[in-house]
Amino acid sequence: MGLWVWLYQAPGPSCVRITSISQLKLSISTFGGDTAKQKTLCFLSAALHIISPAGAFLSAPYGEALFSLLSISGSYLYSSSVLDDTTNHRLSRDLKLLTAAVLISAATAVRSNGILGGILFAYDALLQLQQILSRGLSWAVVSRLAVTVLGGCVIALGMAVPQYIAFIAFCMTPNAPRPWCGWTIPSIYRFVQEQYWNVGFLRYWVVPNIPLFLLALPMLALLLRSALWAWRLPSITSKFSKNAANGASTKAMWLLPRLAIIQALLAVLAFTSYHVQIINRLSSGYPLWYWHLAAELISDLESSQSTNEGISISAVAIQAMVIYGLIQAVLFGSFLPPA
């Protein structure tokens, strides 16, 4: 109970506090909350969201706070729907799955990279198709596949609806249509990013942007490292599910690889095709690296207590996030964009 009270009283806007609670519930759903180590992992991962490198952007009128809330809450409902995947809870499972799709779709409308959340549903659909091919048709599998595909279509609407609104506004008018209206796949996102922001594949790879790549490098490395960490399922799950129910291990095994794909793809896209420094902001809406950093911190603390070693890399990373947040707030308050 103390963890929940602390998160409700945590600094920052309500959106950040609710997101931290969603992160806490997602962590418990994934790793369990029976042992002291599991509880510590869940608490630390939720607390890390408050001091994430998104910094001032989580407190300012930007999309990061809302995106993080919708994305992580959608991931939580998705994980909860899979846990309800039994004969007696199919209705609850389907409702949670569709609600998760609505939240991820809304996150996509806030920030286009939210579309990566559709990978969860694509992954599920492939698993259902594999079951049909190997075991034949059954009502349970077909109904689950139908709901999964419907959820994926709902997520796609988060990208398609804003595009449609823009097409009506700029391409279906008596005035001269904009250049992107005649493209094979009209996309105002692509046009604006290329025309006004000079964003595209390797366009950001110029000498003057080297400092921005250096600014983004720590978070890019953390995203990729935590994605690789998630694939080491036996060692991860045994570390946090010893002396606990086997369910915690099973949960982590099915969810972590899916989130790893999303996070690794985000890092690669940011490195090759985005304004690379915004990865410090975008990362706030992805739960995997919080778990990785919290797990490393727990492991480092245990090692330092037994060997009297100095400060750990994970502790340095957390201190760097706090310092970066303070610097970012000063720059932001002086109307100087930190990212």
Side-chain angles (χ1 to χ4, degrees):
M1 180 62 68
L3 303 185
W4 297 90
V5 172
W6 186 89
L7 288 171
Y8 271 113
Q9 295 175 343
S14 299
C15 213
V16 176
R17 294 197 296 270
I18 298 172
T19 306
S20 296
I21 293 170
S22 296
Q23 173 72 24
L24 178 63
K25 296 179 73 173
L26 174 61
S27 302
I28 294 173
S29 173
T30 304
F31 292 96
D34 301 321
T35 68
K37 185 174 289 188
Q38 289 171 338
K39 291 177 181 177
T40 302
L41 172 69
C42 295
F43 169 70
L44 286 177
S45 67
L48 284 172
H49 173 73
I50 299 173
I51 59 171
S52 72
F57 290 94
L58 293 178
S59 302
Y62 276 74
E64 274 67 27
L66 182 57
F67 171 78
S68 298
L69 170 63
L70 294 170
S71 178
I72 293 179
S73 297
S75 297
Y76 165 65
L77 283 176
Y78 171 82
S79 69
S80 183
S81 74
V82 178
L83 298 182
D84 285 346
D85 192 10
T86 63
T87 304
N88 298 328
H89 297 90
R90 285 179 183 170
L91 179 60
S92 172
R93 175 203 68 189
D94 294 344
L95 289 175
K96 288 180 180 179
L97 193 64
L98 292 176
T99 305
V102 170
L103 292 176
I104 296 173
S105 179
T108 303
V110 174
R111 293 207 65 103
S112 60
N113 57 284
I115 195 67
L116 295 177
I119 291 175
L120 294 173
F121 289 75
Y123 196 111
D124 254 0
L126 291 176
L127 290 180
Q128 302 305 319
L129 286 173
Q130 184 182 23
Q131 287 192 30
I132 291 175
L133 293 175
S134 60
R135 304 178 186 176
L137 292 174
S138 69
W139 171 249
V141 175
V142 171
S143 62
R144 175 61 189 266
L145 177 60
V147 173
T148 301
V149 172
L150 178 59
C153 292
V154 169
I155 294 174
L157 288 176
M159 180 71 76
V161 169
Q163 298 279 0
Y164 175 76
I165 294 173
F167 187 85
I168 295 297
F170 294 101
C171 302
M172 305 295 289
T173 63
N175 300 325
R178 300 293 284 163
W180 59 272
C181 297
W183 292 354
T184 303
I185 303 178
S187 173
I188 191 173
Y189 288 159
R190 176 185 159 196
F191 174 74
V192 169
Q193 289 173 347
E194 291 181 354
Q195 183 74 17
Y196 301 107
W197 296 344
N198 195 31
V199 172
F201 183 68
L202 302 185
R203 283 193 175 192
Y204 217 53
W205 287 32
V206 293
V207 173
N209 290 334
I210 289 177
L212 299 176
F213 276 90
L214 294 176
L215 182 65
L217 190 59
M219 180 50 68
L220 288 173
L222 180 57
L223 291 175
L224 292 173
R225 184 181 181 188
S226 57
L228 293 174
W229 170 85
W231 287 97
R232 295 168 45 237
L233 295 180
S235 59
I236 294 170
T237 53
S238 64
K239 182 183 293 186
F240 293 103
S241 60
K242 277 183 179 178
N243 305 320
N246 290 332
S249 174
T250 303
K251 298 170 196 174
M253 288 184 69
W254 65 256
L255 182 58
L256 290 177
R258 307 179 192 194
L259 295 177
I261 294 172
I262 294 173
Q263 192 172 276
L265 185 56
L266 175 73
V268 171
L269 289 173
F271 186 64
T272 60
S273 307
Y274 296 172
H275 288 159
V276 68
Q277 73 276 10
I278 70 168
I279 193 61
N280 290 316
R281 296 155 51 182
L282 300 183
S283 61
S284 63
Y286 296 86
L288 186 60
W289 70 269
Y290 295 125
W291 292 332
H292 172 59
L293 198 54
E296 280 207 333
L297 183 61
I298 293 171
S299 179
D300 290 341
L301 287 174
E302 291 176 344
S303 299
S304 62
Q305 288 175 356
S306 59
T307 62
N308 294 322
E309 293 180 356
I311 192 168
S312 64
I313 295 178
S314 57
V316 171
I318 294 173
Q319 292 173 4
M321 287 196 299
V322 174
I323 295 172
Y324 178 71
L326 294 174
I327 296 173
Q328 190 183 74
V330 173
L331 293 174
F332 202 96
S334 302
F335 300 98
L336 298 173

